[in-house]
C-alpha cells in the first residue's frame, strides 16, 4: 500500500501523490503507476474539507489499512465535509461497501457531510447492484464534490 499526504492547498507543491508499482511488470507503461497496488492520497483542499482518494484494489486484504486511514482523517476537529474519491479503484470487492459504511457512520456521528465519487467503473456498479447508491450522496468528479461542499 502506498500512502501520501498533502499539505493544505496553499502550502502544497506538486501532486502530493506517492505511487510506486509492486513490480516493474505491474506498472502501467503510459503513466508508470501501478495498476493494482493500493494507493491512498489524503488532502485538505480547504478548511473543514478532506478528500481521501483511493486507487488500485480494495479487497479484504487491503481493507484494514485503508479503513484505518479513513477513520483517522474523519476525526479532524473542524471537519464538515469528507469526500471519498474511488474513481481510480480498479478492483472492488464487497470490502468497498464496508469502507463506505464506515465513512457514512463516522461522518454521521460527527454531523459532517459525506460525498462519494464512485467513478463509472466497478464501485458505481457495485453500489447499483446492492441498492446502496441511494444511501450515499454522489458526485461525478472530485471538483464537483468540492463545489457541493462549498454550498
Amino acid at each position: 500500500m502506498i500512502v501520501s499526504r498533502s499539505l493544505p492547498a496553499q502550502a502544497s507543491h506538486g501532486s502530493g501523490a506517492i505511487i510506486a508499482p509492486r513490480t516493474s511488470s505491474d506498472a502501467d507503461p503510459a503513466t508508470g503507476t501501478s495498476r493494482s497496488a493500493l494507493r491512498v492520497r489524503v488532502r485538505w483542499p480547504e478548511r473543514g474539507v478532506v478528500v481521501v482518494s483511493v486507487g488500485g484494489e480494495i479487497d479484504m486484504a487491503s481493507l484494514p489499512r485503508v479503513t484505518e486511514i479513513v477513520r483517522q482523517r474523519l476525526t479532524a476537529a473542524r471537519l464538515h465535509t469528507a469526500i471519498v474519491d474511488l474513481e481510480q479503484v480498479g478492483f472492488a470487492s464487497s470490502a468497498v461497501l464496508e469502507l463506505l459504511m464506515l465513512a457514512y457512520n463516522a461522518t454521521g456521528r460527527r454531523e459532517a457531510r459525506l460525498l462519494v465519487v464512485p467513478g463509472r467503473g466497478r464501485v458505481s456498479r457495485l453500489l447499483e447492484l446492492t441498492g446502496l447508491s441511494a444511501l450515499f450522496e454522489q458526485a461525478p468528479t472530485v471538483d464537483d464534490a468540492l463545489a457541493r461542499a462549498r454550498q
Side-chain angles (χ1 to χ4, degrees):
M1 175 179 71
I2 295 97
V3 177
S4 71
R5 285 186 283 180
S6 63
L7 299 171
Q10 63 272 19
S12 68
H13 302 285
S15 71
I18 301 170
I19 302 171
R22 290 187 222 169
T23 66
S24 58
S25 64
D26 196 27
D28 180 338
T31 64
T33 61
S34 172
R35 293 180 186 144
S36 60
L38 179 66
R39 299 175 307 279
V40 180
R41 179 178 177 218
V42 177
R43 61 189 175 105
W44 297 86
E46 53 194 64
R47 174 171 268 177
V49 178
V50 64
V51 178
V52 180
S53 299
V54 182
E57 298 178 355
I58 300 178
D59 55 20
M60 293 311 280
S62 62
L63 184 63
R65 295 175 288 189
V66 73
T67 55
E68 184 56 30
I69 292 165
V70 170
R71 184 183 345 264
Q72 289 172 359
R73 297 313 173 253
L74 296 182
T75 60
R78 294 197 170 119
L79 181 71
H80 64 75
T81 303
I83 299 170
V84 178
D85 172 19
L86 302 170
E87 280 187 287
Q88 298 301 312
V89 171
F91 173 80
S93 74
S94 60
V96 77
L97 300 176
E98 187 172 337
L99 170 67
L100 290 174
M101 290 308 299
L102 165 93
Y104 180 81
N105 290 330
T107 54
R109 283 191 301 273
R110 306 256 346 211
E111 296 182 6
R113 185 177 187 185
L114 173 65
L115 292 162
V116 177
V117 181
R120 294 182 177 200
R122 299 178 191 271
V123 175
S124 180
R125 183 162 186 238
L126 190 58
L127 290 172
E128 288 296 324
L129 288 172
T130 59
L132 292 174
S133 60
L135 181 62
F136 301 106
E137 184 178 355
Q138 298 177 44
T141 66
V142 172
D143 289 338
D144 187 53
L146 286 169
R148 290 184 194 186
R150 292 181 190 112
Q151 296 175 350

